[in-house]
Amino acid sequence: MKLLKGKKIADKILTVLEKKIKKLFQKPCLAVILVGNDLASDLYIRLKKKAAKKIGIKFQLFRFSVKVKEVEIIQKIKKLNADKKISGIIVQLPLPGNLNTQRIINALDPRKDVDGFHPENIKLFLEKQARFFPVFPQAIMEILKSSRAKLKGKKSLVIANSKIFGETMVVALENKRIKASYFLFKELKNKRDLIKKTEIIVSAIGCPGFLRGEMLKKGALVVDGGITKKEKKILGDIDYSSAKKIVSFLTPVPGGVGPVTIACLLRNTYKAAEEASLKRLSRKCKA
Ligand code: GUN
């Protein structure tokens, strides 16, 4: 069994990006909105900041108290949308329950939505006209590519926590000619046979250890995108000790999809900066 370590894949992406960023006249800048005191979000933000700084992407954090009003966040987003120095904006999720996540995401300028969460960007991606490849499915595809296994024509199955993730992940797989379908966790009962027969499994539901070795196909390639915090541990969806005897490839949690997602976010930020500068240039030429 090969353990697909995310850090190695992330480092490769970051090294390429660092070289490209060195050649830019204006360095990209990522703005991050963080609300409340969620410890996991604090950790993700620290990791994003460290990776960004290392490769020359500026990082601006806007932290709000848990009591903030939705309109204040939306006002801040509008200011950042209009600020030419800001290349990309993300809203760290989850937001506290009193805030409407969708309304806040909708306020982002889709050209700065480097997570790829805005409905306009999801629609473009599903129509195969992507502006930004959503970071989480993008990271999973990088991991599958790095397995060096033959993927074209194989069957895959996505166990998803939401319809949006299931649909985007299926399109991402199909774009690489991998047959794909998804189901939501609540439909698991009827899907056990299908899981057992499938060569590529992507799981992202946040249910620690629910996928055990005996549920999986011998030699399967398994990407564990589940992240659950339990006491001080971070746990994935796959039961590692039983799965490692059955599958041929597996991603660890932590240290699997997580670091690659950060690298993909920074790649989208670079892309946003590059496109904004091309647009400015073409406007100047026309003037
Ligand atoms: N929370 C957990 N993962 C993510 C992510 O990829 N982006 C944002 N904005 N929030 C998250």
Short mmCIF file of all heavy atoms in Angstrom, two decimals, residues 33 41 44 48 90-94 105 115 117 135-136 227 261 265, ligand 1:
data_model
loop_
_atom_site.label_atom_id
_atom_site.label_comp_id
_atom_site.label_asym_id
_atom_site.label_seq_id
_atom_site.Cartn_x
_atom_site.Cartn_y
_atom_site.Cartn_z
N ILE A 33 -11.19 36.69 5.33
CA ILE A 33 -12.17 37.11 6.34
C ILE A 33 -12.33 35.95 7.32
O ILE A 33 -12.65 34.83 6.92
CB ILE A 33 -13.55 37.37 5.69
CG1 ILE A 33 -13.41 38.33 4.51
CG2 ILE A 33 -14.60 37.77 6.71
CD1 ILE A 33 -13.75 39.74 4.73
N SER A 41 -10.23 26.75 12.41
CA SER A 41 -10.10 27.82 11.41
C SER A 41 -8.82 28.61 11.66
O SER A 41 -8.11 28.97 10.72
CB SER A 41 -11.30 28.76 11.47
OG SER A 41 -12.44 28.10 10.96
N TYR A 44 -5.98 26.62 10.20
CA TYR A 44 -5.95 26.66 8.73
C TYR A 44 -5.41 28.00 8.25
O TYR A 44 -4.63 28.07 7.30
CB TYR A 44 -7.34 26.43 8.13
CG TYR A 44 -7.91 25.05 8.40
CD1 TYR A 44 -9.26 24.87 8.67
CD2 TYR A 44 -7.09 23.93 8.38
CE1 TYR A 44 -9.78 23.61 8.91
CE2 TYR A 44 -7.61 22.67 8.63
CZ TYR A 44 -8.96 22.52 8.90
OH TYR A 44 -9.47 21.27 9.14
N LYS A 48 -2.24 28.76 5.87
CA LYS A 48 -2.40 29.48 4.60
C LYS A 48 -1.44 30.67 4.56
O LYS A 48 -0.79 30.92 3.54
CB LYS A 48 -3.86 29.96 4.42
CG LYS A 48 -4.82 28.81 4.08
CD LYS A 48 -6.28 29.23 4.08
CE LYS A 48 -7.18 28.02 3.88
NZ LYS A 48 -8.61 28.29 3.93
N ILE A 90 -10.99 35.23 0.43
CA ILE A 90 -11.72 34.04 0.91
C ILE A 90 -12.39 34.36 2.25
O ILE A 90 -11.92 35.20 3.01
CB ILE A 90 -10.81 32.79 1.08
CG1 ILE A 90 -9.72 33.00 2.13
CG2 ILE A 90 -10.20 32.38 -0.25
CD1 ILE A 90 -9.05 31.71 2.56
N VAL A 91 -13.50 33.67 2.46
CA VAL A 91 -14.19 33.75 3.75
C VAL A 91 -13.97 32.39 4.40
O VAL A 91 -14.42 31.37 3.86
CB VAL A 91 -15.70 34.01 3.55
CG1 VAL A 91 -16.42 34.07 4.89
CG2 VAL A 91 -15.92 35.27 2.73
N GLN A 92 -13.25 32.38 5.50
CA GLN A 92 -12.97 31.08 6.13
C GLN A 92 -14.26 30.49 6.70
O GLN A 92 -15.00 31.16 7.43
CB GLN A 92 -11.91 31.26 7.24
CG GLN A 92 -11.41 29.97 7.86
CD GLN A 92 -10.68 29.05 6.87
OE1 GLN A 92 -10.05 29.50 5.93
NE2 GLN A 92 -10.79 27.76 7.08
N LEU A 93 -14.54 29.25 6.37
CA LEU A 93 -15.76 28.56 6.82
C LEU A 93 -15.39 27.51 7.85
O LEU A 93 -14.27 27.01 7.85
CB LEU A 93 -16.45 27.91 5.62
CG LEU A 93 -16.82 28.86 4.47
CD1 LEU A 93 -17.46 28.08 3.33
CD2 LEU A 93 -17.74 29.97 4.94
N PRO A 94 -16.27 27.15 8.77
CA PRO A 94 -17.66 27.60 8.88
C PRO A 94 -17.77 28.97 9.55
O PRO A 94 -16.93 29.34 10.37
CB PRO A 94 -18.29 26.53 9.78
CG PRO A 94 -17.16 26.03 10.63
CD PRO A 94 -15.93 26.13 9.77
N ILE A 105 -20.99 34.72 0.74
CA ILE A 105 -20.21 34.23 -0.42
C ILE A 105 -20.66 34.97 -1.70
O ILE A 105 -19.85 35.34 -2.54
CB ILE A 105 -20.39 32.70 -0.60
CG1 ILE A 105 -19.86 31.93 0.61
CG2 ILE A 105 -19.77 32.20 -1.91
CD1 ILE A 105 -18.39 31.89 0.77
N ASP A 115 -11.44 30.62 -3.72
CA ASP A 115 -11.86 29.30 -3.25
C ASP A 115 -12.71 28.59 -4.32
O ASP A 115 -12.86 27.38 -4.29
CB ASP A 115 -12.73 29.44 -1.98
CG ASP A 115 -11.95 29.14 -0.70
OD1 ASP A 115 -11.02 28.32 -0.75
OD2 ASP A 115 -12.31 29.71 0.35
N PHE A 117 -16.04 29.23 -4.61
CA PHE A 117 -17.30 28.92 -3.93
C PHE A 117 -18.50 29.71 -4.46
O PHE A 117 -19.65 29.39 -4.16
CB PHE A 117 -17.19 29.24 -2.43
CG PHE A 117 -16.34 28.27 -1.63
CD1 PHE A 117 -16.00 28.56 -0.31
CD2 PHE A 117 -15.91 27.07 -2.18
CE1 PHE A 117 -15.22 27.68 0.43
CE2 PHE A 117 -15.13 26.19 -1.44
CZ PHE A 117 -14.79 26.49 -0.13
N VAL A 135 -11.07 24.71 -4.92
CA VAL A 135 -9.79 24.22 -4.39
C VAL A 135 -9.80 22.77 -3.88
O VAL A 135 -8.82 22.05 -4.06
CB VAL A 135 -9.23 25.15 -3.28
CG1 VAL A 135 -8.70 26.42 -3.89
CG2 VAL A 135 -10.25 25.44 -2.20
N PHE A 136 -10.89 22.37 -3.27
CA PHE A 136 -10.90 21.03 -2.67
C PHE A 136 -10.91 19.93 -3.75
O PHE A 136 -10.03 19.04 -3.75
CB PHE A 136 -12.09 20.95 -1.71
CG PHE A 136 -12.10 19.77 -0.80
CD1 PHE A 136 -10.96 19.40 -0.10
CD2 PHE A 136 -13.25 19.01 -0.63
CE1 PHE A 136 -10.97 18.30 0.75
CE2 PHE A 136 -13.28 17.92 0.21
CZ PHE A 136 -12.13 17.56 0.89
N ILE A 227 -12.45 15.50 7.32
CA ILE A 227 -11.66 16.08 8.42
C ILE A 227 -12.60 16.29 9.60
O ILE A 227 -13.56 17.05 9.51
CB ILE A 227 -11.05 17.44 8.02
CG1 ILE A 227 -9.99 17.23 6.93
CG2 ILE A 227 -10.43 18.14 9.22
CD1 ILE A 227 -9.35 18.50 6.44
N THR A 261 -4.75 21.40 -0.73
CA THR A 261 -5.83 22.39 -0.87
C THR A 261 -5.25 23.80 -0.71
O THR A 261 -5.63 24.72 -1.45
CB THR A 261 -6.93 22.14 0.19
OG1 THR A 261 -7.34 20.78 0.08
CG2 THR A 261 -8.13 23.03 -0.01
N LEU A 265 -5.26 26.77 -3.48
CA LEU A 265 -5.81 28.11 -3.19
C LEU A 265 -4.82 29.18 -3.65
O LEU A 265 -5.20 30.19 -4.26
CB LEU A 265 -6.07 28.23 -1.68
CG LEU A 265 -6.39 29.64 -1.19
CD1 LEU A 265 -7.78 30.05 -1.63
CD2 LEU A 265 -6.28 29.72 0.33
N1 GUN B 1 -12.90 25.62 5.83
C1 GUN B 1 -12.43 24.37 5.63
N2 GUN B 1 -11.88 24.24 4.41
C2 GUN B 1 -12.01 25.46 3.82
C3 GUN B 1 -11.62 25.96 2.53
O1 GUN B 1 -11.06 25.28 1.67
N3 GUN B 1 -11.93 27.26 2.31
C4 GUN B 1 -12.56 28.06 3.22
N4 GUN B 1 -12.83 29.33 2.91
N5 GUN B 1 -12.93 27.60 4.41
C5 GUN B 1 -12.65 26.31 4.71
#
